[in-house]
Amino acid sequence: MPNIFITRHIPQAGYDRLAAAFGPDAISSFDEDRATPRDVLFKCVAGADAIFAILTEKMDAEVFDAAGPQLKVVANMAVGYDNVDVPAATERGIPITNTPGVLTETTADLTWALILAAARRTGEAERFVRAGNWHSWSPTLLLGVDVYDKTLGIYGMGRIGKAVARRAAGFGMKVLYHNRTRLSTEEEQALNATLVDFPTLLKESDILSPHCPLTPDTRHAFSTNEFTAMKDSVVFINTTRGPVVDEAALAQALQNHSIFSAGIDVFEEEPTIHPELLKCENAVLLPHLGSASEATRGRMATIAADNIIARLNGDTPPNCINAEVL
Ligand code: GLV
């Protein structure tokens, strides 16, 4: 019987899948709804054949070595895997898997929830109503910016970027994108999207949303210079990874009104949020909910489990990031 360790409480579908394959006794977990403390993690992974990992836990050389040489797979329940030291895993011959595809549409929906909320100031407006401050309809109360007919800028046109762009058609928007590779002419036409250089994206977007993975190249891709180059009416969104944005610079741009508003789901040091950003009324702040629908989180857990099952049964895990180790 294999030894599978799950780093924190996960949707039932993930447990069920693993239990159906190997029996409930094969599974142990830090079954609490908080990140596993590092010292506990080291003890719990010892002897594991598989680790079911969550992005709140760093998966690095120390964890792999604490697990031991029998570790056969680390399945990350996320599409992003910046919490995993992939080179360290590859060096040790450990396959790392992720859960691409299933969360694309749910994350695009949440991105749009933030676009609309930040443009129309719904977070601020809700706080205003609940505080008992609403006394009458007013021609000048809480005026926002329009979304319809504007220009949506996307930085990183992968699966999620495209899904966000697709929804823009319903708002009659033009899409500009900046990406390492150009989409096919058919895709550009279908999305009403035009490839532009980064300065043009910054200058011309009315709504700007990065959808790139976090890599050394994209860390702080958006900082003071970039916010300064944007329109002062821009709505800036981040549902990818916190460190893509320099949070202190974002807070300053919001406070100076050099940008209109922001809708932010991910932060540099989650769950800590820069204190200056917390003070900004013109920011809508969410606790990393991009993929947080019941159905999608269930699918993500199932896919992570399927990757473990495949690997432990000697098959190729379907979503291996470092396939060279197989
Ligand atoms: C969630 O943030 C993910 O990367 O899947």
Side-chain angles (χ1 to χ4, degrees):
M1 183 175 64
N3 174 347
I4 302 163
F5 177 67
I6 306 178
T7 63
R8 68 187 287 175
H9 186 69
I10 60 164
Q12 190 62 36
Y15 286 108
D16 291 349
R17 196 73 147 212
L18 289 169
F22 301 116
D25 294 342
I27 307 165
S28 65
S29 66
F30 180 74
D31 202 18
E32 291 185 27
D33 201 13
R34 63 183 176 113
T36 320
R38 215 51 196 158
D39 55 330
V40 177
L41 185 64
F42 291 151
K43 285 192 195 119
C44 290
V45 295
D49 297 294
I51 302 176
F52 186 121
I54 309 296
L55 52 84
T56 42
E57 277 75 49
K58 274 212 172 324
M59 290 289 128
D60 55 14
E62 282 188 311
V63 175
F64 306 145
D65 293 342
Q70 77 299 324
L71 180 62
K72 293 174 194 67
V73 61
V74 174
N76 209 40
M77 190 189 127
V79 63
Y81 45 85
D82 46 285
N83 59 314
V84 183
D85 184 342
V86 180
T90 305
E91 236 172 66
R92 290 162 177 74
I94 305 163
I96 303 296
T97 68
N98 69 340
T99 64
V102 284
L103 46 74
T104 301
E105 302 302 331
T106 303
T107 306
D109 284 351
L110 194 277
T111 302
W112 271 92
L114 278 175
I115 291 173
L116 293 169
R120 299 298 300 275
R121 303 173 62 180
T122 63
E124 206 179 334
E126 228 239 353
R127 289 191 289 280
F128 174 84
V129 168
R130 286 182 190 271
N133 290 332
W134 188 36
H135 303 303
S136 84
W137 186 86
S138 156
T140 55
L141 178 65
L142 286 160
L143 305 184
V145 292
D146 280 319
V147 172
Y148 180 78
D149 222 15
K150 294 292 183 68
T151 297
L152 172 65
I154 297 200
Y155 176 84
M157 197 61 135
R159 276 182 293 252
I160 297 175
K162 286 183 206 168
V164 171
R166 220 180 317 114
R167 286 156 173 74
F171 289 83
M173 298 177 91
K174 174 172 133 191
V175 177
L176 300 180
Y177 72 100
H178 182 67
N179 201 40
R180 274 178 307 194
T181 53
R182 186 169 182 171
L183 302 184
S184 65
T185 311
E186 296 74 48
E187 267 189 308
E188 284 191 345
Q189 277 168 359
L191 296 172
N192 192 22
T194 308
L195 180 68
V196 292
D197 59 23
F198 192 41
T200 305
L201 188 83
L202 296 174
K203 195 162 91 172
E204 294 191 6
S205 299
D206 295 307
I207 289 152
L208 212 166
S209 192
H211 293 286
C212 54
L214 173 62
T215 66
D217 285 344
T218 63
R219 183 173 292 272
H220 282 197
F222 294 88
S223 187
T224 305
N225 289 343
E226 289 70 30
F227 291 120
T228 308
M230 294 176 198
K231 295 183 184 181
D232 55 12
S233 55
V234 77
V235 174
F236 182 79
I237 305 295
N238 189 10
T239 61
T240 177
R241 283 292 183 266
V244 168
V245 176
D246 176 346
E247 225 165 277
L250 171 65
Q252 200 166 48
L254 287 162
Q255 284 170 3
N256 296 341
H257 299 281
S258 76
I259 66 173
F260 180 75
S261 65
I264 307 294
D265 186 43
V266 287
F267 301 89
E268 286 197 67
E269 300 285 347
E270 294 177 9
T272 303
I273 299 180
H274 194 290
E276 291 302 316
L277 189 55
L278 279 173
K279 287 187 203 159
C280 295
E281 277 292 330
N282 51 348
V284 180
L285 308 174
L286 299 182
H288 201 150
L289 294 180
S291 59
S293 76
E294 290 224 11
T296 293
R297 287 283 167 83
R299 284 191 206 111
M300 289 165 71
T302 305
I303 290 179
D306 284 346
N307 277 287
I308 290 176
I309 294 166
R311 175 64 174 162
L312 297 185
N313 283 339
D315 300 326
T316 301
N319 309 105
C320 189
I321 291 154
N322 54 347
E324 65 270 29
V325 302
L326 295 172

